[in-house]
Amino acid sequence: MAENEREGYQFIGWYIDPQYTKRINPGGKLPGAVTLYDKWVPIIYPVRYQCNGGINSRRNPRYVSVETGVKKLYPPQKKGMRFVGWSLDGKLIEYLPPRITRPITLEAQFRELCTVRFESNGGGRIPDKTTDEFGMIELFRPPMRMGYEFAGWYLDENLTFPFEFDMQVNESMTLYAKWNVKMYDIRYHVDGGVSSRMNPKQYSYFDQDIVLAPARKKGYRFTGWFDARGNALNHIRHHSIGDKEFFARFEKEETGE
């Protein structure tokens, strides 16, 4: 590099004061011994964008210099395509590097939008969904399956690797539903008595008919289980759903005199 060269800068001239207000004329005489100050200004370089049919973001910088710091790059928009990144010298970048000393050209890289298919594994059908331009799919209502509760979508058939909706989808794929058997609670109101230990606290849609054992209350005779409406009910039928409440009724035992 020559004496009056500085990468990324343009030499303006020599000055006799550090504030750069008094410039000396080339070839002029200096008044005896004097300290000279060299002045430089950064060269402004253009940034060109090849959007390949897309529309560039207005927030992307148009010019840079050696004094420009790291600059974030924003994605262009292209209908029906997903932006992958800006390519600089064959490498994908998200930020312009600092201390640029040349004009640069960035090329937008796009991919086709991905299709996500869903295997509900016995649940309701979910139609295929297409990712947006950022490779994301919107959160949606999960499928339903009688007797089960939905436990999430997974990336593999063995249900080992869960899928989260903040994950970016980079290729078309199939997601698999995981299910757990839904357990329903059973509550017993015994009016001061004691329910049998044989009576379950939970049940599922798949259980066979459950016949409730009687409750006990000292000095009283158990007359049956009833629902909240007062209907006699001493069992839970196979393929029932929902939490259950049972109310025990008693009659006071007569004591002989």
Side-chain angles (χ1 to χ4, degrees):
M1 185 177 295
E3 182 179 355
N4 283 353
E5 288 185 10
R6 184 179 172 192
E7 189 176 20
Y9 290 88
Q10 179 182 358
F11 179 68
I12 299 300
W14 292 102
Y15 290 75
I16 62 174
D17 64 319
Q19 292 77 31
Y20 303 112
T21 61
K22 300 177 182 179
R23 180 181 178 182
I24 64 171
N25 294 322
K29 280 191 173 184
L30 296 175
V34 65
T35 300
L36 297 179
Y37 300 90
D38 52 339
K39 183 177 181 180
W40 302 83
V41 295
I43 300 172
I44 304 300
Y45 300 101
V47 181
R48 300 181 179 89
Y49 298 88
Q50 294 179 355
C51 293
N52 294 324
I55 300 174
N56 194 19
S57 170
R58 294 181 179 180
R59 294 188 289 178
N60 282 328
R62 298 175 61 188
Y63 300 96
V64 290
S65 76
V66 69
E67 294 184 356
T68 301
V70 175
K71 286 284 188 180
K72 178 178 174 58
L73 293 171
Y74 296 89
Q77 303 293 319
K78 186 176 182 180
K79 188 175 181 179
M81 302 292 284
R82 181 172 73 83
F83 177 68
V84 177
W86 290 107
S87 175
L88 175 62
D89 300 330
K91 294 181 180 180
L92 290 179
I93 61 172
E94 295 183 36
Y95 298 86
L96 281 179
R99 302 193 62 79
I100 293 176
T101 57
R102 61 184 175 91
I104 62 172
T105 299
L106 300 175
E107 183 177 2
Q109 302 293 327
F110 294 96
R111 289 182 185 170
E112 292 185 358
L113 300 181
C114 300
T115 299
V116 181
R117 299 174 178 85
F118 302 90
E119 173 52 66
S120 294
N121 289 328
R125 180 181 176 276
I126 300 296
D128 297 348
K129 296 189 180 298
T130 302
T131 59
D132 63 17
E133 63 269 28
F134 304 107
M136 312 297 287
I137 58 173
E138 292 184 2
L139 184 66
F140 58 90
R141 186 188 299 274
M144 297 183 65
R145 185 181 179 190
M146 187 65 72
Y148 291 87
E149 55 185 355
F150 181 70
W153 293 106
Y154 282 73
L155 297 167
D156 61 311
E157 293 184 73
N158 295 325
L159 308 178
T160 304
F161 304 102
F163 172 81
E164 303 294 343
F165 280 86
D166 59 356
M167 291 181 176
Q168 190 176 63
V169 178
N170 294 315
E171 59 184 13
S172 295
M173 62 170 62
T174 299
L175 297 178
Y176 301 86
K178 181 178 180 179
W179 300 95
N180 293 327
V181 173
K182 173 68 175 174
M183 301 302 297
Y184 301 102
D185 293 328
I186 308 172
R187 295 182 61 190
Y188 301 95
H189 303 273
V190 292
D191 191 23
V194 179
S195 178
S196 171
R197 292 183 180 178
M198 297 176 60
N199 289 332
K201 295 181 178 179
Q202 289 185 315
Y203 79 99
S204 79
Y205 174 80
F206 306 99
D207 291 340
Q208 297 303 315
D209 288 359
I210 300 172
V211 178
L212 301 179
R216 303 188 308 276
K217 185 177 181 181
K218 188 174 181 180
Y220 289 81
R221 181 176 63 85
F222 176 73
T223 61
W225 291 105
F226 293 79
D227 63 18
R229 295 181 178 181
N231 300 311
L233 186 65
N234 67 348
H235 65 278
I236 301 174
R237 290 189 180 278
H238 177 54
H239 281 175
S240 293
I241 60 172
D243 295 339
K244 302 292 185 183
E245 286 189 288
F246 293 93
F247 298 81
R249 288 188 183 180
F250 300 93
E251 286 183 353
K252 191 170 181 62
E253 292 180 343
E254 296 182 3
T255 55
E257 296 186 8

